[in-house]
Amino acid sequence: MISVALMGHGVVGSGVAEILTTHKQKLFSSLGEEIYLKHILDLRDFPDSPLCDRFTKDFEEIIADREVRVVIETMGGINPAYEFTKRCLKDGKSVVTSNKELVARHGAELLSLAKENNANYLFEASVGGGIPILRPLHQCLVANEVQEIAGILNGTTNFILTKMINENMNFEDALKLAQDLGYAERNPEADVEGHDACRKICILASLAYGKHIYPDNVHTEGITKITLEDVEYAAAYGCVIKLIGKCKLLETGLMDIMVAPMLVPCTSQLANINDVFNGIMVRGDCTGDVVFYGKGAGKLPTASAVVADTVDCCKHLKARKYLYWTDTSENCIADHNESLTKIYLRLEASDAENAYNKAQEIFTDITRLERADAPESEVAFVTEKELPYGKILEAVETLEQSGIKVASAIRIGNL
Ligand code: HSE
C-alpha cells in the first residue's frame, strides 16, 4: 500500500478523491499496490464526505507523515501551494499538480528541487486538462525537433467564441453563460485576457525546448475586444476566430511565442474544435503534425490526468522521470514586433472609401471583405502578405492619425 495526501478539495481535488475511490480496483491492477488517500488538506469542512475522517487543516500533519510518499496539489494559485510544494520536495516526497500558474512561474526551480531530492514533480493536468499532452511531448515525440506548437488551450474562451460564432451571441452574454455553467475560473480575467492560455503555452514551450519560458515575457492578448462584426467578416474570409497559443522555433534558434485571437481557416483542424474542448497541434520534424483533442477542463477529465501522474509517481518512488527543463537568463524569445503575420483590420471612418484607399496605399496588397448590413462608415480587409507585427502597429498608428478608427486588428493564423 502506498499512502498519498491531497492538498485542496475543490473541483479538481474532489475529482481526484472520487477517482481514487471509485477506480480503486482498476488502479490496483495497474500499480500492483493499493493507493491509500491518507490525508486531505482543506480549510473548509466536508462533514458529508465519505472520506470525512481523512480531512485536516494542518499541512504539518502531511509533511510529518513518513508514510506519505506522494502529495497531490490541487489548491491552485501561488500561495501557499508554492511553499507547500517546496517543503514536500525537499522532504523527498513526490508532488503531482494541476496548478499551471505555479508550474509556469516556478517550474524550473521545482523541477530542480525534485531532482536534488530524488523525487518527481509531475503536472500532466496543467495543460489540456484530461488530454494527454505533456507525456506524449516529452516521451513519445522525443525523437523529433519540435518545430511548432499551436493550440486552443483555454476551454472557457473557446466556449465563448463558439457561442459567438454559432449562435450569434455577443461576448458579454456568452461570458455570463460560461460563468453560469461553471466553466470560467474564479477570476474570468485569467481566461478572457489570455493569461491561462499563456501559462499553458509557456509550459509546453519549456518542455519542448528545455528552457523555462516565463509568462511575463510572452506577448498575450485576450478575446474581450472580439465583436460579432469580426466573427461575420472572418466567416466571409472562410475563417473562424479562435484564441491561439502558439510557439514556433525560428531559424535564429529563438522562439516566436504568443497568445492571441486569430482568424483560423475553416479547413484547419483547430477550426473545428468547439465549446470547452481544447486542441493542440505539435509539428515534429519527423512526425509532421500530430493533433491532440479532448476536454481541456472539468472535474473528472482533469482529475484523470492527476491520478495518472499519481500512479506514475507511485511506480517510480525510487527513480526519477526525465521530465525536466532548466532556468536560463539567456533570451530565448524573438522580438514580437518581428513576428510575421497577415492581418485582418476593421476600420470606422466618416468616409469609408477614403479609409480603404488609404489602407491600400499603406499595405499595397489587401482584399476587402463584405458583410450584410454593414454601416456605411465601416470597411474591413485582410492583408495578402505577411508583415512584421511592428510594421502593422505603425500602419495602424498612421491610419489613426488620419482620423480613421481601427476598430479591430486580428492576426490571420497560418494554421
Ligand atoms: N479555466 C480553464 C479553461 C480551466 O477554461 O480552460 C482549465 O485550465
Side-chain angles (χ1 to χ4, degrees):
M1 185 170 80
I2 299 174
S3 293
V4 305
L6 173 65
M7 304 194 294
H9 194 261
V11 175
V12 178
S14 62
V16 171
E18 184 178 326
I19 294 178
L20 288 176
T21 309
T22 55
H23 290 60
K24 202 177 190 138
Q25 197 51 46
K26 166 79 179 59
L27 298 171
F28 181 87
S29 313
S30 164
L31 186 60
E33 274 190 86
E34 182 189 339
I35 297 178
Y36 176 59
L37 180 53
K38 194 169 176 190
H39 308 279
I40 305 175
L41 179 72
D42 203 294
L43 293 177
R44 297 163 297 174
D45 291 313
F46 294 88
D48 301 329
S49 163
L51 302 173
C52 59
D53 58 321
R54 324 267 174 96
F55 279 85
T56 175
K57 293 182 172 53
D58 186 6
F59 170 72
E60 300 305 327
E61 232 179 89
I62 292 174
I63 205 82
D65 190 336
R66 307 313 308 159
E67 285 178 5
V68 170
R69 307 292 304 276
V70 180
V71 178
I72 303 162
E73 185 266 302
T74 50
M75 310 174 87
I78 300 294
N79 293 312
Y82 177 46
E83 285 308 319
F84 288 178
T85 300
K86 281 200 292 190
R87 287 195 57 198
C88 289
L89 292 172
K90 281 182 187 165
D91 198 58
K93 297 183 195 312
S94 288
V95 177
V96 168
T97 189
S98 56
N99 189 337
K100 58 238 165 199
E101 192 177 353
L102 185 59
V103 178
R105 193 164 327 160
H106 296 292
E109 181 194 353
L110 295 171
L111 283 167
S112 163
L113 209 50
K115 191 175 175 187
E116 280 165 29
N117 292 283
N118 201 29
N120 284 301
Y121 184 52
L122 301 184
F123 37 86
E124 179 65 63
S126 65
V127 181
I131 308 171
I133 173 67
L134 301 188
R135 204 170 265 96
L137 186 60
H138 84 96
Q139 287 186 353
C140 315
L141 294 172
V142 73
N144 288 260
E145 202 61 72
V146 175
Q147 296 168 329
E148 187 170 350
I149 302 172
I152 294 169
L153 301 168
N154 181 269
T156 304
T157 46
N158 203 36
F159 174 84
I160 293 171
L161 290 170
T162 303
K163 289 285 164 200
M164 292 176 76
I165 294 163
N166 293 351
E167 296 177 30
N168 206 32
M169 198 181 273
N170 67 31
F171 172 79
E172 288 74 21
D173 291 347
L175 171 60
K176 167 99 182 36
L177 184 59
Q179 283 173 321
D180 291 348
L181 291 171
Y183 295 146
E185 299 266 285
R186 263 179 293 173
N187 177 0
E189 193 185 325
D191 291 315
V192 298
E193 296 294 358
H195 304 308
D196 178 76
C198 178
R199 291 167 190 144
K200 293 167 179 168
I201 195 68
C202 285
I203 295 171
L204 290 168
S206 302
L207 195 55
Y209 302 112
K211 291 170 187 160
H212 193 114
I213 305 300
Y214 287 92
D216 287 349
N217 297 334
V218 172
H219 178 92
T220 302
E221 293 171 37
I223 63 161
T224 52
K225 294 189 191 124
I226 306 293
T227 66
L228 289 174
E229 288 82 0
D230 299 323
V231 167
E232 267 189 69
Y233 280 121
Y237 192 55
C239 291
V240 285
I241 300 176
K242 296 283 182 191
L243 183 67
I244 301 291
K246 164 181 157 144
C247 173
K248 186 173 179 178
L249 189 61
L250 302 175
E251 278 173 13
T252 55
L254 297 176
M255 287 173 215
D256 183 12
I257 181 167
M258 75 184 82
V259 171
M262 292 186 193
L263 267 65
V264 177
C266 291
T267 47
S268 162
Q269 302 222 47
L270 295 182
N272 298 304
I273 287 158
N274 290 318
D275 297 314
V276 282
F277 282 83
N278 285 190
I280 305 152
M281 186 280 293
V282 179
R283 181 167 297 155
D285 62 343
C286 306
T287 55
D289 293 359
V290 183
V291 179
F292 300 85
Y293 169 81
K295 287 187 178 155
K299 178 176 167 171
L300 291 181
T302 310
S304 148
V306 174
V307 171
D309 273 352
T310 306
V311 171
D312 208 359
C313 278
C314 291
K315 278 184 182 165
H316 295 93
L317 287 176
K318 294 198 180 88
R320 290 208 61 259
K321 302 283 297 175
Y322 292 99
L323 183 145
Y324 195 66
W325 65 70
T326 54
D327 210 350
T328 175
S329 53
E330 153 202 354
N331 177 36
C332 314
I333 301 179
D335 178 356
H336 188 68
N337 282 335
E338 301 292 322
S339 173
L340 292 173
T341 185
K342 292 184 188 176
I343 195 105
Y344 149 85
L345 292 182
R346 181 165 60 85
L347 311 179
E348 286 170 14
S350 48
D351 184 344
E353 285 315 305
N354 179 48
Y356 185 72
N357 292 339
K358 181 89 188 153
Q360 201 157 33
E361 256 172 50
I362 297 171
F363 291 104
T364 57
D365 207 357
I366 61 177
T367 300
R368 190 163 180 168
L369 302 178
E370 305 288 348
R371 72 177 180 98
D373 305 323
E376 279 183 11
S377 58
E378 182 180 89
V379 63
F381 62 89
V382 289
T383 62
E384 291 301 335
K385 289 203 189 101
E386 289 188 323
L387 293 164
Y389 190 65
K391 292 274 173 231
I392 293 172
L393 290 181
E394 281 172 24
V396 164
E397 209 178 310
T398 308
L399 287 168
E400 296 212 308
Q401 276 165 1
S402 328
I404 297 163
K405 182 178 171 203
V406 178
S408 295
I410 307 174
R411 290 167 186 73
I412 298 169
N414 186 9
L415 301 162

